[in-house]
Amino acid sequence: MATRKNSTDDPLAPLTLAVGQEDLLLDRAVQQVVAAARAADADTDVRDLTPDQLQPGSLAELTSPSLFAERKVVIVRNAQDLSADTIKDVKSYLGAPAEEITLVLLHAGGAKGKGLLDAARKAGAREVACPKMTKPADRLAFVRSEFRALGRSATPEASQTLVDAIGSDLRELASAVTQLVADVEGTIDEAVVGRYYTGRAEASSFTVADRAVEGRAAEALEALRWSLATGVAPVLITSALAQGVRAIGKLASAPRGARPGDLARDLGMPPWKIDRVRQQMRGWSADGVAAALTAVAEADAGVKGGGDDPEYALEKAVVAVARAARAGR
């Protein structure tokens, strides 16, 4: 999901600046340039360098004209860690880049080495943003963009379930999308993702929570036992239960008649989750939410060493949450 920050979208531009700390996106930025160069010239010479490999004077040697006028890609990783003398070399080169050579600078984007970053931007570099994706919403957007890039359709629920199942590793998320696209025909929905990744800890813990907040105690207990049998950490289950109950409480206390888009922004939930929680909150009351949160807090203490039987603590919490969900029905 790397995004370009200026109008230059030619991978063979004299200078590409990839800024950020997301390794997958940085690697993709490099791969795009190399692929374009080799499409133009199959014999393109690629030099992939770390700061310790680029000494003062080295860049001049790497970018000197070739007798055979071959195309060359010079990649400098962690450019913010270059020595002061080497940074001077790079800045000097930016003023008069060589023909048939593409320089790719990978920069973390922080204060370190900012002078080089500013110089590259001033020189008109083609810039690719590769930010670390720390927010769930960013990872969800990434998954959706992966499906779109592969020309396939996935429901919002499927994308969210995949993020819940895989977690924060973008490489794993990208790999999972590729696998689903290769194996599944038609629109990819939540059920398909569940079949493929039902063994993942996060996915199974959220299944327990969903069934519990819907008041389906028997199904929640069945999912709980299966999760524990497959090695899901009890703390993940109490966390999922807490998130599920808190979502009910947030939506229940939101202003009536508010638009879904406004609710999504104010509550920090995607619009599709607002719809799901609305369905789950039938039968809940303010007292029920309070009782359920108390039960989950007790279970959390129990699984973190405050009790002798973590499984019993979880079962008790699941039953309490399901009972609270049905109290107003």
Side-chain angles (χ1 to χ4, degrees):
M1 201 186 69
T3 56
R4 290 153 186 87
K5 300 187 72 172
N6 63 19
S7 58
T8 302
D9 196 28
D10 180 9
L12 295 182
L15 174 63
T16 286
L17 179 63
V19 184
Q21 300 178 45
E22 188 57 67
D23 289 341
L24 173 65
L25 301 185
L26 290 167
D27 286 346
R28 284 184 174 181
V30 170
Q31 290 163 7
Q32 184 184 29
V33 172
V34 171
R38 286 184 169 156
D41 180 355
D43 295 324
T44 293
D45 181 17
V46 177
R47 304 294 181 91
D48 197 331
L49 307 169
T50 54
D52 61 300
Q53 295 174 308
L54 195 63
Q55 302 299 322
S58 298
L59 186 63
E61 294 179 15
L62 289 168
T63 57
S64 60
S66 167
L67 290 176
F68 304 101
E70 67 180 357
R71 184 177 293 277
K72 186 179 292 185
V73 176
V74 178
I75 302 153
V76 180
R77 297 183 183 270
N78 299 312
Q80 72 278 357
D81 295 330
L82 291 171
S83 68
D85 288 338
T86 303
I87 287 177
K88 289 180 182 178
D89 289 348
V90 176
K91 287 182 177 179
S92 176
Y93 173 81
L94 295 178
E99 292 186 11
E100 301 299 314
I101 292 178
T102 298
L103 176 63
V104 183
L105 297 179
L106 277 58
H107 194 291
K112 187 177 182 181
K114 189 174 183 301
L116 177 58
L117 192 63
D118 292 341
R121 285 170 171 161
K122 187 176 181 180
R126 165 183 176 265
E127 185 169 343
V128 182
C130 306
K132 198 74 176 176
M133 295 190 182
T134 57
K135 297 179 181 179
D138 292 337
R139 294 192 287 273
L140 179 59
F142 171 78
V143 167
R144 289 174 173 171
S145 71
E146 290 291 288
F147 279 120
R148 285 196 300 271
L150 293 172
R152 292 296 297 278
S153 175
T155 66
E157 294 84 356
S159 296
Q160 183 65 53
T161 299
L162 192 60
V163 171
D164 291 341
I166 300 298
S168 60
D169 191 311
L170 254 60
R171 292 187 189 278
E172 287 197 30
L173 285 169
S175 177
V177 169
T178 301
Q179 179 183 3
L180 288 167
V181 167
D183 293 354
V184 179
E185 296 182 358
T187 300
I188 296 166
D189 59 20
E190 183 180 12
V192 168
V193 176
R195 286 201 302 271
Y196 271 73
Y197 296 99
T198 189
R200 300 301 291 252
E202 293 88 346
S204 53
S205 63
F206 280 107
T207 298
V208 175
D210 282 342
R211 300 297 85 80
V213 299
E214 290 163 2
R216 296 153 67 177
E219 293 177 41
L221 288 171
E222 181 181 356
L224 171 64
R225 292 178 187 121
W226 185 89
S227 298
L228 294 172
T230 55
V232 177
V235 69
L236 290 178
I237 298 173
T238 56
S239 175
L241 284 168
Q243 289 183 49
V245 176
R246 288 195 193 105
I248 298 286
K250 284 182 179 180
L251 192 56
S253 60
R256 292 185 178 276
R259 294 181 298 179
D262 294 335
L263 285 174
R265 184 188 63 250
D266 295 342
L267 301 182
M269 301 180 194
W272 70 264
K273 190 170 183 180
I274 296 287
D275 293 336
R276 174 183 283 184
V277 175
R278 271 183 174 152
Q279 295 175 356
Q280 292 175 333
M281 65 186 288
R282 296 169 186 163
W284 281 91
S285 65
D287 289 341
V289 170
L293 287 174
T294 299
V296 173
E298 291 174 353
D300 191 56
V303 302
K304 291 178 178 176
D308 297 327
D309 191 342
E311 291 188 17
Y312 174 71
L314 285 170
E315 289 180 358
K316 186 178 177 182
V318 165
V319 171
V321 171
R323 183 180 295 124
R326 301 188 64 84
R329 296 182 185 179

